[in-house]
DNA sequence: TTGACAAATGCAATCTAGTTGCATATAATA
DNA sequence: TATTATATGCAACTAGATTGCATTTGTCAA
């Protein structure tokens, strides 16, 4: 029996979220799956154009909002004046944003959980989610400067 | 000698930042000083209108950007698709945003410093700043629900 | 396999947040 | 109080995002 590494077809996930599997949606899911960094709508639009899937910008916004509503994606902001999106199935993580080159790196082993417990107790505030981003300079850019 | 509690005149701060003390700027500084929560441009505009200080929206944006450039204010985002501003002279803190009533509470004694050191070591990423927000439900809203 | 229908899309108009160029007004300084 | 760099008003503009409506298309049942 031949075992091939097949590009994962996302229609199951879409159907699971009660969404029809249209070409644009499938392509956007695949882009999200293969992209390391959280992406903005312009990136999605460019990608669709490059893969000859025509989709109006209104459609792209509608799709990504729908994804976010259904919990497939998470919307984040990095002080740019626009939103970025990433799969919410990604394990809990935070972002290191290099202010020099713009690279966004994930960091996973960050002990915010302890902070949360502390805050819930002290402030009597029920935390549903949090966002934590670090801005600075990545290893690469540090070396270039020196 | 009479000791009166006088509304602080912010012209010194403005001059310190090499900015002329115009009515709009003074008013915005005062608003920022007396407001607990980070505020958006619409809030500033309304306030100016209410205090009969006429200022075009372009002016308000220019002022608040100027403040941020000169380090008087900090620009933050709370996943709303717009910016909010707060005095950067405020002691280091983070925000608890109630998703029910929209109240934004500050939290000051939060040990992110330790996380930072950890990350700088592990990831070789030089951190310049960070943003940390917690979304959830405040005490008040929790009680209303019950 | 096909037909029906809810759901999705395209298109164009619209909205909000934010920016810019330029002429005029004004705070600071001498 | 005259000068001048700086700030503002106004109007036009940009980018990101949303919406109404007519048309198209996935999906599912027959």
């Amino acid at each position: 029996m031949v075992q091939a590494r097949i590009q994962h077809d996302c229609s199951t996930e879409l159907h699971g979220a009660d969404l029809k599997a249209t070409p644009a949606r499938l392509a956007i899911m695949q882009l999200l799956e293969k992209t390391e960094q959280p992406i903005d709508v312009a990136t999605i639009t460019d990608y669709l154009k490059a893969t000859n899937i025509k989709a109006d910008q209104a459609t792209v916004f509608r799709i990504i909002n729908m994804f976010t509503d259904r919990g497939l994606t998470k919307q984040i902001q990095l002080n740019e004046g626009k939103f970025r999106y990433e799969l919410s199935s990604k394990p809990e993580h935070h972002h290191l944003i290099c202010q020099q080159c713009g690279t966004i790196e994930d960091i996973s082993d960050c002990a915010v959980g302890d902070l949360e417990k502390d805050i819930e107790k002290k402030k009597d505030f029920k935390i549903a989610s949090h966002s934590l981003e670090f801005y600075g300079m990545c290893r690469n850019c540090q070396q270039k400067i020196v």
Side-chain angles (χ1 to χ4, degrees), chain A:
Chain A
M1 200 186 275
V2 182
Q3 297 255 347
R5 196 156 135 66
I6 292 164
Q7 160 82 59
H8 170 220
D9 174 349
C10 314
S11 45
T12 319
E13 276 140 288
L14 290 173
H15 291 153
D18 252 310
L19 295 172
K20 289 184 184 170
T22 68
R25 285 177 179 172
L26 288 168
I28 294 176
M29 280 300 283
Q30 281 172 11
L31 176 59
L32 285 162
E33 284 190 345
K34 77 180 182 196
T35 309
E36 302 285 324
Q37 325 192 123
I39 53 177
D40 59 15
V41 169
T43 305
I44 296 175
T45 304
D46 291 349
Y47 173 78
L48 293 177
K49 209 165 287 169
T51 46
N52 283 315
I53 294 165
K54 85 164 190 172
D56 191 72
Q57 70 150 12
T59 303
V60 176
F61 276 108
R62 274 191 280 233
I63 289 176
I64 203 71
N65 284 339
M66 191 63 69
F67 282 5
T68 305
D69 287 348
R70 305 291 166 102
L72 294 178
T73 51
K74 272 201 318 202
Q75 192 184 49
I76 68 166
Q77 270 184 305
L78 305 178
N79 269 296
E80 304 166 296
K82 69 183 171 191
F83 292 106
R84 284 176 180 266
Y85 304 87
E86 62 185 4
L87 286 179
S88 47
S89 58
K90 285 187 86 172
E92 149 97 355
H93 66 280
H94 305 100
H95 299 111
L96 305 179
I97 300 108
C98 179
Q99 293 169 316
Q100 206 75 23
C101 67
T103 305
I104 304 165
E105 194 184 347
D106 286 359
I107 174 150
S108 319
D109 45 356
C110 183
V112 200
D114 300 343
L115 295 183
E116 289 202 349
K117 272 177 226 154
D118 210 45
I119 291 168
E120 296 211 325
K121 215 175 287 174
K122 265 192 272 192
K123 291 288 196 170
D124 201 3
F125 184 95
K126 182 76 199 136
I127 297 174
S129 65
H130 66 258
S131 84
L132 173 55
E133 285 85 35
F134 297 93
Y135 299 87
M137 201 184 293
C138 69
R139 188 194 317 233
N140 266 349
C141 289
Q142 284 176 59
Q143 289 171 346
K144 277 180 201 158
I145 297 282
V146 175

